[in-house]
Amino acid sequence: MRLIDRYLLRQLLGPTLLATAALTAVAMLSQSLSALDLIVNQRQSALVFVKITVLAMPQLINMILPIALFVASLVSLNRLHVEQEIVVCFAGGMSRWRVIAPALKLGATVAFLALLLNLFIQPLAAREMRQTLFEVRTDLAATLVREGEFTEPAPGLAVYAQTVDGDGTIHNLFIHQTKADGGETTYTADRGRVATRGGRPVLVMQKGSNQEFNKAGVLNFLTFDEYIFDLGPLADNDDIIHYKPSDRYLHELMFPDLQQDWESRNRERLWAEGHARLASPLYNIAVVALALSAIIGGTFSRLGYNRRIAITAGAAATMRILGFIAQAASESSAWVNILQYAIPLIATALALRGVFHQHVSGVRRSPPMALAGASA
């Protein structure tokens, strides 16, 4: 019996891994397209692009897992039933519970992995991604200069650069600065680079000139081999990283700091996210139960179970949509959080009820009296 259990589990595990990999690749492609502006607009490296794409995957994988598991379970169970392998298991004396146990074990294992993703890996990855995006937005080199464009990174400051190399070297740099006292200064340089001197960001310009009109209208002109332009005023800002509900750990969601104004005003929203983290893994078990109900919960047919599969797929989609609706509704009413657990649990119970209330064999046999009459 254990050999048959392992065989059934292998038949389910292979398609599940394949479906998960395929859907993850599609999700990664869509995520990479949305993050492409980091390279195009912010001139970030490919490493930053890959990092943000990978850090977004835990949350996407959690949404993908129930779909992949449902599709893989339907495909595997349908093949096993059409080829009468499941019928052979029943004929060999295996109970209905023993036959469906490998599928339920796989669903429970995936649910446990999804719970680990929800509680630990997703918030860790989301925080790291938020930190990386914050650094991208506050990147002085990207904010100060746009290749071939005039930019105004601060009031009274205009910057132009003809080209920017991949290593950050700026060529044919032009800076025009209007000072608060009415004076104006224009800098031109063959090359430039953003660096740090004394713990402060600076723009190091090489082989250029400085033309300054003071408030009295006197022009001062000088040339230089190297000139340091202080970027400290551009870097001095009070921006802080704000973690969204999806970036927070479970204890931060369930027990928010009510002394903080934002957390006090969004307490129910944080609770809704916390309960969703705990409830969403249950959908992995529910979709396996629905797949079992679609294939085993009906009579045997050599022609397949397309109609039952279509109905079950619609039921699974409806179940997940109701889950999203319950999560959204619980952001304004805390008691609705009960529905986040009730929806997958009720779907699982109804699906298993359909499995166990169906006769084991779908092959119809004639009664003994009919057989005797036929032979007479």
Side-chain angles (χ1 to χ4, degrees):
M1 289 300 181
R2 292 183 179 179
L3 183 63
I4 296 176
D5 287 346
R6 290 197 296 268
Y7 172 75
L8 294 176
L9 184 59
R10 286 198 304 270
Q11 297 303 308
L12 291 165
L13 183 59
T16 300
L17 294 176
L18 183 61
T20 302
L23 292 176
T24 300
V26 174
M28 184 174 290
L29 178 61
S30 64
Q31 176 64 28
S32 64
L33 292 176
S34 64
L36 194 59
D37 65 328
L38 293 176
I39 291 181
V40 177
N41 296 328
Q42 297 292 336
R43 299 199 321 274
Q44 298 299 313
S45 65
L47 182 61
V48 174
F49 170 75
V50 172
K51 180 180 179 181
I52 291 178
T53 302
V54 171
L55 290 175
M57 293 314 298
Q59 187 172 10
L60 293 175
I61 289 175
N62 260 327
M63 299 180 64
I64 289 169
L65 279 176
I67 302 174
L69 190 57
F70 181 65
V71 173
S73 299
L74 281 176
V75 171
S76 302
L77 292 170
N78 184 51
R79 184 187 63 78
L80 290 172
H81 209 41
V82 169
E83 295 178 0
Q84 301 191 34
E85 294 187 53
I86 292 180
V87 175
V88 170
C89 292
F90 288 141
M94 291 183 68
S95 66
R96 187 168 292 267
W97 177 258
R98 192 65 181 271
V99 171
I100 69 173
L104 293 178
K105 289 178 182 178
L106 178 61
T109 302
V110 174
F112 178 71
L113 294 176
L115 183 62
L116 293 180
L117 281 173
N118 281 346
L119 298 185
F120 305 106
I121 300 177
Q122 175 188 327
L124 179 63
R127 284 171 180 256
E128 183 64 26
M129 183 174 67
R130 196 72 57 196
Q131 176 68 36
T132 303
L133 291 174
F134 180 80
E135 293 173 356
V136 168
R137 289 197 305 269
T138 56
D139 185 359
L140 278 176
T143 304
L144 184 67
V145 179
R146 297 287 180 85
E147 188 176 76
E149 298 181 13
F150 280 94
T151 60
E152 190 175 356
L157 183 66
V159 181
Y160 174 84
Q162 186 176 17
T163 58
V164 181
D165 292 344
D167 61 356
T169 302
I170 306 169
H171 295 276
N172 295 329
L173 179 64
F174 171 87
I175 299 176
H176 182 78
Q177 183 180 29
T178 302
K179 299 182 179 180
D181 60 2
E184 297 183 356
T185 305
T186 301
Y187 304 90
T188 58
D190 290 345
R191 294 185 305 276
R193 177 187 291 272
V194 176
T196 302
R197 298 287 175 87
R200 293 180 62 83
V202 296
L203 176 63
V204 181
M205 295 183 286
Q206 297 177 336
K207 296 189 179 301
S209 64
N210 175 2
Q211 305 176 47
E212 179 180 2
F213 277 100
N214 59 27
K215 60 182 181 180
V218 178
L219 173 64
N220 297 316
F221 178 84
L222 61 88
T223 59
F224 55 80
D225 290 329
E226 182 177 280
Y227 184 86
I228 306 299
F229 185 83
D230 185 19
L231 298 177
L234 298 180
D236 294 336
N237 60 72
D238 298 327
D239 292 342
I240 60 174
I241 300 176
H242 174 72
Y243 291 123
K244 297 181 179 180
S246 59
D247 306 336
R248 300 174 183 241
Y249 290 98
L250 183 64
H251 69 276
E252 297 173 328
L253 296 170
M254 306 303 287
F255 306 100
D257 184 2
L258 300 182
Q259 295 181 353
Q260 301 292 331
D261 180 63
W262 187 90
E263 295 190 12
S264 178
R265 287 186 290 104
N266 294 272
R267 177 175 53 183
E268 293 181 339
R269 181 183 173 189
L270 294 172
W271 285 346
E273 175 66 22
H275 286 290
R277 297 271 187 91
L278 296 173
S280 59
L282 296 175
Y283 287 98
N284 294 286
I285 301 175
V287 296
V288 172
L290 287 171
L292 290 168
S293 177
I295 304 301
I296 302 179
T299 58
F300 175 78
S301 173
R302 291 182 180 274
L303 300 178
Y305 309 94
N306 293 336
R307 183 172 178 274
R308 293 211 305 259
I309 289 175
I311 294 174
T312 305
T318 302
M319 173 189 67
R320 198 63 190 95
I321 291 172
L322 289 176
F324 288 129
I325 293 174
Q327 181 181 353
S330 61
E331 293 182 359
S332 55
S333 299
W335 68 269
V336 183
N337 284 306
I338 298 174
L339 295 180
Q340 296 203 60
Y341 301 93
I343 291 171
L345 291 176
I346 291 174
T348 302
L350 292 176
L352 292 179
R353 182 178 182 275
V355 172
F356 283 98
H357 279 69
Q358 178 61 33
H359 294 296
V360 171
S361 176
V363 180
R364 299 183 180 274
R365 297 180 178 178
S366 301
M369 295 298 295
L371 292 174
S375 45

